[in-house]
Amino acid sequence: MSRIGRKPITVPSGVEIKIEPELVTVKGPKGELSERISRDMTVQQDGETLTVERPTDRGEHRALHGLTRSLVANMVEGAVGRLGKIKVAYVHAAAQEETEKIRELIEGRLTCVESLVSELSPALGVHTGPGTVGLCYYPVKK
């Protein structure tokens, strides 16, 4: 049983939710976010509450249930700007331009207090291949 999936999501005032087959869009003061969801999961809105339902208790559906609920809840939080501040580290293997594009996208949507961009060492770069970009982030405690 997915305890996370069963938790309802409270939608704050000023946030619009658009539910389509396999797509959920959340629009709020901080922007608009969309996420494709599995066709097996159903997202329903009842007033100011969202719920995610699964068709069966199969392991795959239980896992998707919790994942889908978490993704939608995080979109709601992000649309109102409650995710707080984060620190981000980016690593790349011969992909400086792509890394900068990702950095600009993330820093345009979230409040980053610190960013570090670094190229992988040649030994690691050989194993990962050119064009590899890695990302790590963590929230800053208040």
Side-chain angles (χ1 to χ4, degrees), residues 50-104:
L50 291 174
T51 54
V52 178
E53 297 178 4
R54 65 178 185 245
T56 70
D57 281 336
R58 287 181 29 216
E60 176 186 345
H61 287 151
R62 288 194 317 259
L64 281 171
H65 191 207
L67 172 67
T68 303
R69 190 260 176 213
S70 295
L71 290 171
V72 173
N74 287 341
M75 286 194 308
V76 170
E77 292 295 309
V80 293
R82 280 194 255 178
L83 291 180
K85 298 177 179 180
I86 62 171
K87 289 187 177 183
V88 185
Y90 309 87
V91 294
H92 65 89
Q96 179 73 32
E97 190 174 310
E98 291 84 356
T99 304
E100 286 301 321
K101 287 179 187 176
I102 293 170
R103 186 183 66 76
E104 289 172 11

Side-chain angles (χ1 to χ4, degrees), residues 9-17 26-29 45 47-50 72-73 75-82:
I9 303 164
T10 303
V11 180
S13 61
V15 174
E16 298 173 27
I17 308 290
V26 178
K27 186 175 182 180
Q45 184 171 13
E48 298 299 314
T49 304
L50 291 174
V72 173
M75 286 194 308
V76 170
E77 292 295 309
V80 293
R82 280 194 255 178

